[in-house]
Amino acid sequence: MIARMSDADGMSDPTTVRDGRATGPEADGGPRPTVRERRIAACRRAPRALARLGFLAPLAERLALLEAAGSVYDLDETSDVYGSGVVEALEKRVAGLLGTEAAAFFPTGTMAQQVALRCWAGRTGNPTVALHPLSHPEVHERNAFSRVGGLRPVRMTDEPRPPTAAEVRDFEEPFGALMLELPLRDAGFVLPSWEELTGVVDAAREREAVVHFDGARLWECTEHFGRPLEEIAGLADSVYVSFYKSLDAYGGAALAGPEDLIEEARAWRHRYGGNVFQQFPTALSALIGLDRELPRLPEYVRHARVVAAALREGLAAGGLPWFRVHPEVPHTHDFQVWLPYDADVVAEVAIEAAEETGAVLFAHHWGPKGPGLSFTEVYVRSAGLEWTAEDVRAAAAEFARRLLRV
């Protein structure tokens, strides 16, 4: 099943497909900007935003990130060649953080997870992978598991939440691997409790299945679980992590696990075309992200809870009769907001509010959630720490009043 295509940020954005370009020429005779282009331009110009996502920054600003490269790696060392040098240093750093025997760098998470689960299928003798239908491979990867990897995905549950231990234990057919996305992004960046997670892992073990964590955003889960990264990762047989979703790197991913699995994964990485000649810009940006962003993620999560509560209060004060902040208490520093309006309507109001007030609450696109219902994802990063609860309430109330005038 493919519900949406992925945007350049690795986060699906229907505006890239749905909006197209508005009809009618601009004053200079050129095409009018798309909704996405207008939204990005408004976010760049606005003095205040809850998050300034690096991948949306001008190229010059992105390149400036590498000015800090000398603080994370000896730049007099020879550059990487097919995974040596700085790439090896990054792999060792990741393995140490996650408490695994080894880690391998991959250009994309899509490739890393296909390789991991292909390796596990060969070892278990079962190509069936149990996962949630809202998991990234099912929604955003063009059926890569089955088309490329020869794997057979089966759905654990259709509920918009992580699977339970009972659902895993009582599933009606055998599976070789259980894949858990932590957090489950398309359900609202939701996580189970620690007790629920350990119960699910135990249930998979009872069925003699291996457990793989889709930990694209695992870095930001420590505050919710109240556990260090290595304890969380230690529950699984293998873990994938992303370097750009939480850490603001240029891209890239890592697969971490036992030494023998990672050695086999390196062979499959080569076969899949992922053994890139040089990747030092991405590897350096990932090391910078581990130094700069990783220590701050718990602070972002705590402030996201302040922002979510203030958003609810502000939208209510602005007169909206119905809305939803989901989860009410965010599990990570990202969460969803639902509104009873068509996505195109809310998107236009959000852009106009950003342009006219200089404050950006909603930097991401608005997508349909059902007839007359839309949603967006709210991100809280370092820029959001400058907002007090009262700042958020005031901006949300102003946004609600604008929406009611439509």
Side-chain angles (χ1 to χ4, degrees), residues 7 16 81 88 97 100 136 142 170 186 192 207 223 235 242 254 270 277 284 336 356 359 376 395 404:
D7 195 4
T16 59
V81 176
E88 285 183 332
L97 286 167
T100 60
H136 196 277
R142 293 178 178 258
D170 299 335
D186 280 302
R207 299 191 58 148
E223 185 71 12
L235 292 177
S242 172
H270 197 172
F277 180 54
L284 287 168
Q336 293 180 348
E356 295 172 14
T376 192
L404 288 169

Side-chain angles (χ1 to χ4, degrees), residues 36-191:
R36 183 175 189 269
E37 290 166 342
R38 291 176 56 218
R39 173 167 51 83
I40 292 172
C43 291
R44 285 182 179 178
R45 290 193 299 264
R48 306 191 69 195
L50 287 175
R52 297 198 182 279
L53 304 178
F55 67 88
L56 293 178
L59 185 56
E61 186 176 320
R62 290 301 278 159
L63 287 172
L65 177 65
L66 291 183
E67 292 174 1
S71 67
V72 297
Y73 192 74
D74 184 354
L75 300 186
D76 289 328
E77 290 286 330
T78 303
S79 184
D80 61 303
V81 176
Y82 292 123
S84 64
V86 66
V87 176
E88 285 183 332
L90 175 60
E91 292 171 340
K92 290 177 182 176
R93 179 83 179 273
V94 170
L97 286 167
L98 299 179
T100 60
E101 291 180 359
F105 181 89
F106 278 80
T108 70
T110 298
M111 184 186 295
Q113 299 211 102
Q114 281 191 57
V115 166
L117 291 166
R118 183 169 195 152
C119 291
W120 284 126
R123 290 163 185 243
T124 64
N126 188 334
T128 303
V129 179
L131 44 62
H132 197 286
L134 291 178
S135 295
H136 196 277
E138 286 291 270
V139 180
H140 302 290
E141 297 179 13
R142 293 178 178 258
N143 302 105
F145 271 19
S146 54
R147 293 285 186 175
V148 180
L151 304 172
R152 188 172 73 91
V154 293
R155 299 179 172 187
M156 249 323 110
T157 176
D158 287 323
E159 294 296 322
R161 51 149 176 80
T164 66
E167 288 165 340
V168 172
R169 189 175 292 110
D170 299 335
F171 194 66
E172 61 271 17
E173 57 181 303
F175 52 88
L178 171 66
M179 194 191 87
L180 297 173
E181 184 177 331
L182 300 174
L184 187 55
R185 179 268 182 98
D186 280 302
F189 304 93
V190 295
L191 289 162

Side-chain angles (χ1 to χ4, degrees), residues 231-371:
E231 187 174 354
I232 300 169
L235 292 177
D237 296 285
S238 58
V239 181
Y240 141 67
V241 289
S242 172
F243 294 127
Y244 72 90
K245 291 182 172 70
S246 304
L247 304 179
D248 205 26
Y250 293 160
L255 175 65
E259 182 71 51
D260 60 344
L261 177 81
I262 299 306
E263 281 304 306
E264 183 184 358
R266 293 181 196 277
W268 280 106
R269 180 184 64 186
H270 197 172
R271 294 181 181 117
Y272 272 68
N275 202 27
V276 180
F277 180 54
Q278 289 195 310
Q279 303 186 91
F280 64 89
T282 299
L284 287 168
S285 71
L287 286 169
I288 292 168
L290 288 170
D291 269 16
R292 287 184 176 180
E293 291 299 305
L294 183 58
R296 304 194 72 185
L297 296 182
E299 183 181 14
Y300 298 167
V301 174
R302 291 190 293 270
H303 196 60
R305 295 167 182 170
V306 174
V307 170
L311 266 174
R312 287 197 302 273
E313 294 166 2
L315 293 174
L320 281 182
W322 185 89
F323 56 85
R324 181 173 181 180
V325 175
H326 174 70
E328 285 194 8
V329 178
H331 297 173
T332 72
H333 51 57
D334 302 326
F335 56 92
Q336 293 180 348
V337 171
W338 303 5
L339 292 173
Y341 291 85
D342 288 336
D344 293 342
V345 172
V346 189
E348 186 64 31
V349 172
I351 291 170
E352 290 177 356
E355 292 170 338
E356 295 172 14
T357 69
V360 182
L361 282 175
F362 306 115
H364 199 49
H365 78 278
W366 288 85
K369 199 71 175 176

Side-chain angles (χ1 to χ4, degrees), residues 14-25:
T15 59
T16 59
V17 177
R18 185 187 66 234
D19 293 332
R21 292 194 178 271
T23 57

